[in-house]
Amino acid sequence: MERGSKKPSFSFALFSLLFIIAFITCGLILFKIQLHVLMFCGWVLCAVIGCYLGFSFNELEKGAFELIHRAMTAIIILIFIGALIGAWISSGTVPLLIYAGLKIISPSFFLITSLIVCSFTSIFTGTSWGTLGTVGIALMGIGSSLGFAPGLTAASIICGSFFGDKMSPLSDTTVMTAAVCNTPLLRHVRHMWYTILPAYLITFVIYLFLGINHQEQGATPEEITLILNGLSEHFNLGIGAFLPMLLVLVLLLKRFNPILAIALGALAGVFAAIIFNDTGINTAFSSLWKGYSGSFPETPILEKLLNRGGITSMLNVVCLVILACGLGGMLRQMEIIQTAIEPLANWANTNFKLVLSTLIVGYCTHILTAATYFSIIMTGTLMTPIYRKQGLRPENCSRVIEDAGTIGGPLIPWSNNALFPMAALSVTYIEYIPYVFLLYLTPCFSLLYAYFNINMPKLTEQDLQEENTD
């Protein structure tokens, strides 16, 4: 490659990507450097690479800002969810859900209950983030009270939430994937059942086994009684506490803008705190910014469960999303990503290689940009024509893209879909990652089906005629 050329060679693009990945990985693992700082340094590395290729920093800045702009919806949702969590704790909404869960849910079946409840909530609302930030935080409180490790509880919530997000025709990622691959939406959803259903059933069995064996390690009846008494003494757990959550669920089911639904739910929580819990106006509104802060001298565990939330709790994550998306935007602007993964797409000349390549492209674009939407768009754009060239229907491609795109996000520690669960559920990546069995198993079934040519429908003559007509 000649100096000053704006088109990187494959070897240069691959070296640049591997160097940046190695830099971030070594910084995290060997030197324990904060990820924000490593992403900041990544911007400087991109500036050096761009200078070598002949790009001005203004051009790189344009690429960074473009991807950051695409992530603004996710950033605003992060901020609003932080406000909602603080308000819902003040209003008694989260304490009510914890109270009801401790009364109803058996420790043996807690994990599968968490998985199922989050699955249905995400399917009906079309949003994994909305599920994580509402039902999820209540389930974290219940799991902690029952003696479950935070990472295990969070994993069951994450698996259920992203399963529902993937399988819901109301989900933006599901609609986007079908559109990018030119697949009818309901056909796309039906085709995904083949790989995710067996993965879901295996995950269900594992969680059932873990729950049953965990029964003897749960909190004692006396400790649970103490927690229940503490909740009922400090909060009004009547119908007023349930109204903010009911409002959000109704709005999401009616396809309201999720940002508006979350904002209204947060304000409803503030007014519920003022009206039903006799919270001062200043304190109630402050919970939107600083989160809830209460004193529970007789039940200190409640301070750990409930003293959280607020917009400030999300600022750390918001900063990382901006830095990660900007880094990915600069790499895309220099065509580093596109050039590095192009030969991989050309290598895929069998069903197995094709599915494996799609997963690799999906995960790599996710790793390099931290953006689910970009991963879906890039992978679909590159891989869909190859599926058609090999005579495979586009729903094969769209199914695999969701395996790496929608449910692959929580596997990548700086992805939006990993950062949000970590912030909303107050867990670390290391705590939950060993237990998200659904996220590991689903792509394995995609590879298995491709190897044995199971559920890989071919293009028919009618499909080809329709394409020619279009």
Side-chain angles (χ1 to χ4, degrees):
M1 184 189 73
E2 296 181 2
R3 184 176 176 83
S5 172
K6 291 200 175 187
K7 176 70 174 177
S9 67
F10 168 73
S11 58
F12 184 84
L14 184 62
F15 172 80
S16 300
L17 286 182
L18 292 178
F19 181 80
I20 290 175
I21 293 171
F23 175 82
I24 294 174
T25 303
C26 291
L28 280 172
I29 297 175
L30 298 180
F31 302 102
K32 312 297 181 185
I33 300 173
Q34 191 171 6
L35 185 56
H36 300 68
V37 176
L38 295 171
M39 289 294 175
F40 169 81
C41 295
W43 279 54
V44 178
L45 290 174
C46 279
V48 174
I49 295 170
C51 180
Y52 179 82
L53 292 174
F55 286 88
S56 69
F57 189 74
N58 287 336
E59 291 175 295
L60 298 181
E61 189 180 67
K62 179 181 177 182
F65 288 168
E66 183 178 343
L67 202 56
I68 292 171
H69 177 74
R70 292 187 183 184
M72 281 308 298
T73 298
I75 290 170
I76 297 299
I77 289 176
L78 276 168
I79 293 172
F80 280 32
I81 284 285
L84 179 138
I85 291 172
W88 278 21
I89 296 175
S90 296
S91 67
T93 303
V94 172
L96 172 63
L97 293 172
I98 295 174
Y99 186 92
L102 290 175
K103 281 281 191 179
I104 297 170
I105 300 175
S106 164
S108 299
F109 303 109
F110 167 71
L111 292 175
I112 61 171
T113 302
S114 174
L115 179 71
I116 293 171
V117 168
C118 291
S119 298
F120 278 100
T121 303
S122 280
I123 286 174
F124 289 131
T125 61
T127 167
S128 56
W129 284 21
T131 302
L132 288 162
T134 53
V135 178
I137 58 174
L139 288 167
M140 286 299 294
I142 297 168
S144 179
S145 302
L146 295 176
F148 284 88
L152 181 56
T153 302
S156 67
I157 296 167
I158 291 169
C159 286
S161 298
F162 283 93
F163 166 82
D165 192 325
K166 176 176 176 174
M167 301 310 299
S168 174
L170 305 177
S171 168
D172 53 355
T173 53
T174 303
V175 173
M176 178 185 292
T177 305
V180 168
C181 298
N182 195 26
T183 306
L185 178 59
L186 293 182
R187 183 191 295 175
H188 168 60
V189 172
R190 286 196 302 268
H191 198 59
M192 287 192 292
W193 279 109
Y194 292 116
T195 53
I196 202 167
L197 182 59
Y200 191 90
L201 293 175
I202 293 173
T203 302
F204 181 94
V205 171
I206 295 173
Y207 284 156
L208 179 61
F209 174 80
L210 292 175
I212 291 174
N213 283 274
H214 188 274
Q215 186 174 14
E216 296 179 358
Q217 304 172 24
T220 65
E222 291 78 14
E223 291 172 325
I224 293 178
T225 300
L226 195 63
I227 293 170
L228 293 174
N229 291 338
L231 290 171
S232 59
E233 287 173 8
H234 287 83
F235 300 95
N236 183 347
L237 303 179
I239 187 66
F242 180 69
L243 292 178
M245 190 176 83
L246 180 63
L247 173 64
V248 171
L249 291 176
V250 170
L251 291 176
L252 290 174
L253 287 172
K254 287 185 172 293
R255 303 300 294 151
F256 262 63
N257 181 285
I259 294 177
L260 179 60
I262 293 168
L264 291 173
L267 288 176
V270 169
F271 290 117
I274 295 170
I275 296 170
F276 299 105
N277 279 302
D278 296 325
T279 305
I281 293 176
N282 182 271
T283 302
F285 277 94
S286 293
S287 67
L288 295 173
W289 176 251
K290 297 186 296 183
Y292 178 80
S293 179
S295 177
F296 306 89
E298 296 181 359
T299 50
I301 188 176
L302 290 179
E303 292 187 13
K304 182 179 179 181
L305 292 177
L306 301 177
N307 286 354
R308 51 194 300 233
I311 292 172
T312 55
S313 69
M314 294 294 177
L315 296 183
N316 189 51
V317 181
V318 166
C319 180
L320 187 54
V321 170
I322 291 172
L323 290 171
C325 288
L327 178 62
M330 286 189 282
L331 291 171
R332 187 185 65 165
Q333 182 76 2
M334 295 183 287
E335 297 190 30
I336 294 287
I337 298 174
Q338 298 92 315
T339 303
I341 63 180
E342 197 172 304
L344 181 65
N346 296 331
W347 167 76
N349 55 8
T350 67
N351 287 355
F352 180 80
K353 288 182 179 180
L354 187 55
V355 170
L356 179 60
S357 299
T358 308
L359 289 171
I360 292 173
V361 171
Y363 287 126
C364 286
T365 51
H366 221 141
I367 289 170
L368 295 167
T369 65
T372 300
Y373 293 157
F374 177 74
S375 175
I376 290 172
I377 293 170
M378 176 63 72
T379 309
T381 302
L382 284 172
M383 303 305 297
T384 300
I386 304 176
Y387 278 77
R388 293 185 181 278
K389 183 179 178 181
Q390 294 196 18
L392 295 170
R393 294 180 69 161
E395 59 262 33
N396 295 292
C397 184
S398 62
R399 180 180 70 187
V400 181
I401 288 174
E402 289 245 43
D403 293 344
T406 304
I407 66 172
L411 300 178
I412 299 158
W414 51 82
S415 165
N416 295 348
N417 282 342
L419 294 173
F420 182 80
M422 284 189 273
L425 305 180
S426 296
V427 294
T428 65
Y429 179 80
I430 299 299
E431 285 179 312
Y432 78 73
I433 200 63
Y435 306 111
V436 283
F437 306 109
L438 179 75
L439 279 54
Y440 300 127
L441 291 169
T442 304
C444 290
F445 276 100
S446 283
L447 290 170
L448 189 67
Y449 284 12
Y451 185 81
F452 291 103
N453 198 27
I454 301 171
N455 290 316
M456 298 285 291
K458 300 281 189 179
L459 285 168
T460 63
E461 290 294 332
Q462 183 178 353
D463 294 327
L464 295 173
Q465 289 176 3
E466 289 176 357
E467 286 184 22
N468 294 331
T469 302
D470 294 338

